[in-house]
Structure formats: C-alpha cells, structure tokens
C-alpha cells in the first residue's frame, strides 16, 4: 500500500536529516529554539513571580469601589494566565515564532539537495506567514473536531475514555496534522495553493503521519524547565538533584531540536518523493510548464 511506502520514506528521512545536519553544518541552528524556549519560560516566570509577590496592601484591601476591584481581579487573572501560558506552553509558542526561520531552513536544505534558489521577497514572506496561519488554524480546527468525535464515541462505549481503542486515533490524527504543517513549507514553494496542498497531503497520508509522529514524540515530552534549573536540593540530595536536572535537560534538548530536525526531514522526504529539482519556480530553473503540471499530477 502507498500509505506504508510513504510512511517508510518519512521515517528514513529522519535518519537522513541527522546525517545531513552534521554534514552541512546546520547544527548552529539548533540552539536558537533552545534559547528561545528558555527566554519565553523566563518571561513567564517573571509574570508568575510578579503576581505571587503582591502584598495585601497592593491587593484589593485598598480597593475603594467596584471599578478598582474589577481592575484588580482582571490584572491578577491576566498576569496568571500569561505566566501559565508562557511557562507551560513555551515549546508550542517556539514553533509558531520559528515559522519564518523554518521556511528559510527548508529552502537552505532544498538548495543543498538540488541547487534550487528562491529570491527573497518581503511580499512573498508576508504571504507565507499569512498562509502558515491559515494552515495552522485549519489544522487545529479539524484536529479538535475529530478529537471531540472520538471522545464522544469513546465515552458512549467505555466507562473510561482512555481505555477505548478509538481514543488512540487522536494521536494518529495529531501526527497527521503536525506532518501536514511541515510538508506545506515545501508545497508552498511548489506554488500549490492551500486546496492543492491539502489534496497532495491527503494522497500522501503515510508521509505526513511519519513526519508528524517523530516530531510529536520529541515536542510532547513533559519538560519542566523549572526543575531543570532548580538546584535548591543539591546539598541534601546531590545525586538525585543532578539526575533530575540532567533528565529534564535531555527532554529540553529533544524538544528544542525537534522543529529544526523535522523541517530538514520533511524537505528531504519531499525531494525523495517528487524530485524538487524539477520545481520551475526556483529562480535558476527553466522548465516547460506543461511538463511541470504533469509531474505534479503524477505525484498526486
């Protein structure tokens, strides 16, 4: 079946991506998401500390009317919410912020694979950002629609939802949509519109699931950055403290390298699948449009 063939291409691309990053010295990109994740977490901790440090005198004991009370409650709610979002969802925010850089890395990988070049255009960059947001919103919407449907079916047939065999489909659906997002960086350069990209990825579900599965394993690991920098128990329990810090550091590194490794793997997989050297939209390529459309139809 094509699904398993494309799935195998996606898994192999990760092994190729590791060698590719080492060979072409792309590893200097790796610290960027790691530092960004720490920075976001640090800002979140500042919000949390700021809120926790409010004294009674600074709080609502000085509120003299309803407006001051409402303002105080809103300020407290906002600070807690921002702090929790930045601290608990730092690695998800990183991926969104890194979208322009991931697009550039994908172009770099394609150039090294095929010599394709793409001229920089601010208008095109803004278009890419807008397209990425539309794709992200669409994927989030459909992923949660399927999640709710599976949840309802599981709740009807099983007392404990997580014990339903259907519940595990939620992971596969998440893999698909994560992979979708990374593959679309390449489809955009092939000048496939969103509908064409959707059609292409539906016909190559195995590739999307494979790309998204490895990424999900890395990005969904439960990293606690607070524990990674917590040495308060070192004097009393040095080995236990070092073990906890080291383990969290390893999980943090896996989550940090995931976006870079995945975009490299997705680009390599797409080259194996459709031969990106035939993309006429590269700045240094001149192909017959009719032949190019034929190649796209065959790849679908």
């Amino acid at each position: 079946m094509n699904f398993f063939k494309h799935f195998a291409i996606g898994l192999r691309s990760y092994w190729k991506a590791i060698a590719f990053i080492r060979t072409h010295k792309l590893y200097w990109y790796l610290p960027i998401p790691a530092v960004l994740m720490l920075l976001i977490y640090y800002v979140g901790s500042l919000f949390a500390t700021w809120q926790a440090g409010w004294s009674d005198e600074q709080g609502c004991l000085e509120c003299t009317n309803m407006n001051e009370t409402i303002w105080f409650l809103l300020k407290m709610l906002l600070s807690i919410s921002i702090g929790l979002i930045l601290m608990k969802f730092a690695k998800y925010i990183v991926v969104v912020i890194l979208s322009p850089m991931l697009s550039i890395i994908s172009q770099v990988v394609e150039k090294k694979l095929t010599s394709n070049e793409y001229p920089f255009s601010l208008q095109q960059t803004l278009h890419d950002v807008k397209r990425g947001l539309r794709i992200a919103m669409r994927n989030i919407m459909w992923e949660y629609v399927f999640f709710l449907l599976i949840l309802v079916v599981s709740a009807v047939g099983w007392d404990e939802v997580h014990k339903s065999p259907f519940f595990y489909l939620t992971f596969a659906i998440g893999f698909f949509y994560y992979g979708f997002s990374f593959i679309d960086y390449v489809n955009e350069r092939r000048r496939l519109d969103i509908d064409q990209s959707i059609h292409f990825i539906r016909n190559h579900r195995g590739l999307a699931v494979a790309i998204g599965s490895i990424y999900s394993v890395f990005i969904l690991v439960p990293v606690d950055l607070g524990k990674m920098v917590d040495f308060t128990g070192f004097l009393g329990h040095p080995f236990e403290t070092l073990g906890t810090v080291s383990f969290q550091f390893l999980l943090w590194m896996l989550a940090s390298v995931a976006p870079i490794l995945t975009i490299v793997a997705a680009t390599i997989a797409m080259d194996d699948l459709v031969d990106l050297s035939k993309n006429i939209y590269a700045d240094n390529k001149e192909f017959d449009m009719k032949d190019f459309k034929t190649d796209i139809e065959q790849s679908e």
Side-chain angles (χ1 to χ4, degrees), residues 14-25:
Y14 273 95
W15 291 108
K16 294 180 180 180
I18 295 173
F20 189 93
I21 290 172
R22 184 175 63 249
T23 300
H24 295 281
K25 297 180 174 58

Side-chain angles (χ1 to χ4, degrees), residues 189-192 196 278-282 285-297:
R189 291 197 301 278
R190 298 172 67 215
R191 296 296 186 268
L192 302 186
Q196 290 172 324
K278 295 181 179 180
N279 186 7
I280 65 167
Y281 295 105
K285 290 291 188 296
E286 292 184 2
F287 289 109
D288 181 69
M289 179 63 74
K290 181 178 179 181
D291 292 339
F292 180 69
K293 289 181 178 179
T294 301
D295 291 332
I296 290 181
E297 291 172 357

Side-chain angles (χ1 to χ4, degrees), residues 165-228:
F166 295 105
F167 184 75
Y168 294 99
L169 288 175
T170 59
F171 295 102
I173 291 171
F175 296 163
F176 173 79
Y177 283 112
Y178 275 131
F180 187 132
S181 298
F182 283 95
I183 294 172
D184 189 67
Y185 285 105
V186 181
N187 281 343
E188 193 284 327
R189 291 197 301 278
R190 298 172 67 215
R191 296 296 186 268
L192 302 186
D193 61 32
I194 292 179
D195 288 337
Q196 290 172 324
S197 183
I198 292 171
H199 180 68
F200 175 88
I201 295 173
R202 281 177 179 171
N203 288 340
H204 299 84
R205 290 183 178 90
L207 179 65
V209 171
I211 295 295
S213 62
I214 304 299
Y215 173 76
S216 297
V217 169
F218 284 7
I219 202 69
L220 296 178
V221 289
V223 183
D224 189 332
L225 295 178
K227 291 183 178 180
M228 192 183 78

Side-chain angles (χ1 to χ4, degrees), residues 94-114:
V94 165
V95 177
V96 175
I97 296 175
L98 287 180
S99 292
M101 190 184 82
L102 295 178
S103 179
I104 293 172
I105 294 174
S106 183
Q107 291 183 35
V108 170
V109 174
E110 184 175 335
K111 180 178 179 181
K112 293 183 181 298
L113 289 172
T114 66

Side-chain angles (χ1 to χ4, degrees), residues 56-288:
D56 291 338
E57 289 75 17
Q58 293 172 314
C60 211
L61 292 181
E62 291 187 343
C63 296
T64 58
N65 54 55
M66 183 59 68
N67 286 338
E68 291 182 0
T69 302
I70 293 175
W71 171 247
F72 171 78
L73 293 175
L74 288 176
K75 185 173 67 170
M76 182 175 65
L77 179 62
L78 179 63
S79 65
I80 293 174
S81 299
I82 293 176
L84 286 175
I85 289 172
L86 293 178
M87 293 174 68
K88 298 300 184 183
F89 300 100
K91 52 191 176 182
Y92 302 102
I93 299 172
V94 165
V95 177
V96 175
I97 296 175
L98 287 180
S99 292
M101 190 184 82
L102 295 178
S103 179
I104 293 172
I105 294 174
S106 183
Q107 291 183 35
V108 170
V109 174
E110 184 175 335
K111 180 178 179 181
K112 293 183 181 298
L113 289 172
T114 66
S115 298
N116 287 352
E117 296 181 357
Y118 298 89
F120 174 79
S121 168
L122 179 59
Q123 182 179 1
Q124 184 62 41
T125 300
L126 294 176
H127 173 270
D128 293 348
V129 172
K130 181 179 178 181
R131 175 191 175 106
L133 290 174
R134 289 181 62 188
I135 289 289
M137 293 303 297
R138 176 194 177 277
N139 288 351
I140 290 173
M141 180 191 71
W142 280 110
E143 183 176 350
Y144 276 95
V145 166
F146 287 124
F147 175 78
L148 291 175
L149 289 175
I150 292 171
L151 198 64
V152 170
V153 172
S154 299
V156 170
W158 285 263
D159 293 333
E160 297 183 42
V161 172
H162 67 277
K163 292 185 178 181
S164 165
F166 295 105
F167 184 75
Y168 294 99
L169 288 175
T170 59
F171 295 102
I173 291 171
F175 296 163
F176 173 79
Y177 283 112
Y178 275 131
F180 187 132
S181 298
F182 283 95
I183 294 172
D184 189 67
Y185 285 105
V186 181
N187 281 343
E188 193 284 327
R189 291 197 301 278
R190 298 172 67 215
R191 296 296 186 268
L192 302 186
D193 61 32
I194 292 179
D195 288 337
Q196 290 172 324
S197 183
I198 292 171
H199 180 68
F200 175 88
I201 295 173
R202 281 177 179 171
N203 288 340
H204 299 84
R205 290 183 178 90
L207 179 65
V209 171
I211 295 295
S213 62
I214 304 299
Y215 173 76
S216 297
V217 169
F218 284 7
I219 202 69
L220 296 178
V221 289
V223 183
D224 189 332
L225 295 178
K227 291 183 178 180
M228 192 183 78
V229 295
D230 184 7
F231 290 89
T232 55
F234 181 76
L235 294 179
H237 307 280
F239 294 106
E240 181 180 344
T241 301
L242 286 176
T244 300
V245 170
S246 299
F247 180 65
Q248 292 298 327
F249 177 79
L250 175 62
L251 297 181
W252 167 65
M253 286 301 298
L254 289 176
S256 299
V257 304
I260 310 299
L261 179 63
T262 303
I263 192 60
V264 174
T267 307
I268 292 174
M270 284 294 289
D271 184 50
D272 290 341
L273 190 65
V274 301
D275 189 0
L276 297 176
S277 65
K278 295 181 179 180
N279 186 7
I280 65 167
Y281 295 105
D283 197 37
N284 57 329
K285 290 291 188 296
E286 292 184 2
F287 289 109
D288 181 69

